[in-house]
Amino acid sequence: KLRARVDGPTPVSVLHEYPNNTRIEMAMSTLKVGFIGSGMMAEALAGGFDAAGVAAFSHMSCIDHNQSRLDLFASWGVHPCKDNVELATRSNVIFIAVKPYAVAKVLSEMRAAGALSKDTLVISIAAGVTLHTLEEAAGPGIPMMRVMPNTPCLVGCVAAAMVPGTSCDETHSATTSKLFNAVGKIHQVQEKHMDAVTGVSGSGPAYVFLMIEAMADGGVLAGLPRKIAQDLAAQTVMGAAKMVLETGKHPGQLKDAVTSPAGTTIAGVAALERNGVRTAFISAVKAAADRATELSKE
């Protein structure tokens, strides 16, 4: 088991185990990571980077308006900065982890202070903030990367997508991949697909939580205690997802393998189909994607 080397409270993401030996074997790199905004997502990323060995707490800096968050990061060995300029001088990768409405202001202020350079990769994890907005605020020549993570980052199991800006090269993409693959999985996509990413993985955890809750309710209806029903449902979802990822088989093929003729599983699948579960999931993804498009234009 791989754990972070900390004296204070353990970051949420390092409670996750990293069974992939390639991650464990990674030597601590020379990446110097700065977090502008030190909320839960930044906490998960920082803990995951340190635990996986891609960036050490001692090579990280942070800033936040909430002193308790700075104190928490400092307890792990992260350097709290007095302002964004100091953070920029200590970092070669900067995460913009503030609320979406504040992103352009932060970048504009850093640009005016001369804190941004072509030698520093800037990664925005703010939902709905386009590359055009990011690059306009940061100025020409600044390598900007737009990333859409999701909340399972908090347990080291992010599903993310990235879009490189016009000043990014293959090295910037490789660095971003290295960092996010330490806390899950990331894909490079075209920006026109980011709203679809939001619909599938950005909003997707909520759909799965709803599914787990409904499966647990069914277990209670069938006579199981609530705790057991919920644990069985959640573990089943995790195991089924792992089978899809690790076998590479189509979900339909895996479903067919467990649906015996006239058996219990096909009876359950037929009930789901009668109630339109497939259409409901497709509609949910499309509705979330459409809403993401609307929000990006506001």
Side-chain angles (χ1 to χ4, degrees):
K1 295 181 180 180
L2 187 64
R3 304 287 179 179
R5 301 163 305 288
V6 295
D7 296 321
T10 305
V12 287
S13 73
V14 303
L15 300 177
H16 175 71
E17 297 175 9
Y18 294 91
N20 186 334
N21 288 334
T22 59
R23 291 180 185 172
I24 297 174
E25 290 167 1
M26 285 181 185
M28 282 291 180
S29 71
T30 56
L31 287 178
K32 295 181 290 185
V33 179
F35 294 96
I36 298 180
S38 304
M40 292 298 292
M41 193 66 76
E43 176 182 341
L45 291 171
F49 297 162
D50 182 84
V54 296
F57 282 137
S58 59
H59 291 166
M60 297 183 200
S61 303
C62 68
I63 191 166
D64 198 275
H65 61 81
N66 188 328
Q67 185 61 45
S68 65
R69 297 301 299 175
L70 294 178
D71 292 343
L72 179 64
F73 275 64
S75 72
W76 310 323
V78 179
H79 179 80
C81 296
K82 65 180 183 296
D83 55 39
N84 293 340
V85 175
E86 181 193 358
L87 182 138
T89 63
R90 298 178 57 90
S91 310
N92 50 30
V93 178
I94 297 175
F95 279 86
I96 307 298
V98 297
K99 297 294 185 184
Y101 69 83
V103 171
K105 182 176 183 233
V106 166
L107 289 172
S108 296
E109 289 175 349
M110 293 181 74
R111 176 185 182 181
L116 299 175
S117 81
K118 62 181 179 59
D119 298 320
T120 302
L121 172 62
V122 182
I123 301 175
S124 169
I125 60 171
V129 183
T130 65
L131 272 177
H132 174 75
T133 299
L134 296 171
E135 293 183 331
E136 191 174 60
I142 306 301
M144 294 291 314
M145 188 75 68
R146 178 185 175 189
V147 173
M148 179 68 196
N150 64 2
T151 54
C153 180
L154 300 176
V155 290
C157 200
V158 74
M162 64 179 182
V163 183
T166 56
S167 296
C168 285
D169 57 27
E170 291 182 2
T171 302
H172 299 122
S173 295
T175 298
T176 305
S177 294
K178 179 180 180 181
L179 287 166
F180 277 91
N181 283 333
V183 289
K185 193 170 187 178
I186 191 167
H187 292 275
Q188 184 168 320
V189 301
Q190 298 178 48
E191 188 164 35
K192 67 181 180 180
H193 293 143
M194 282 299 265
D195 292 339
V197 169
T198 298
V200 175
S201 57
S203 300
Y207 318 152
V208 179
F209 296 148
L210 185 63
M211 181 175 67
I212 291 171
E213 181 184 27
M215 288 175 65
D217 284 345
V220 172
L221 180 63
L224 283 174
R226 168 68 61 183
K227 179 65 167 64
I228 292 175
Q230 182 171 303
D231 285 353
L232 288 173
Q235 182 70 20
T236 297
V237 169
M238 183 171 69
K242 196 169 183 180
M243 287 182 71
V244 171
L245 292 172
E246 294 187 1
T247 67
K249 292 181 179 179
H250 190 282
Q253 184 180 357
L254 293 170
K255 176 211 57 170
D256 289 348
V258 294
T259 49
S260 303
T264 59
T265 304
I266 192 62
V269 169
L272 289 172
E273 296 288 9
R274 282 195 302 272
N275 286 279
V277 68
R278 189 185 302 266
T279 300
F281 276 111
I282 292 171
S283 298
V285 171
K286 187 61 166 62
D290 289 345
R291 182 57 179 151
T293 301
E294 293 171 1
L295 290 173
S296 68
K297 294 177 180 177
E298 292 181 359

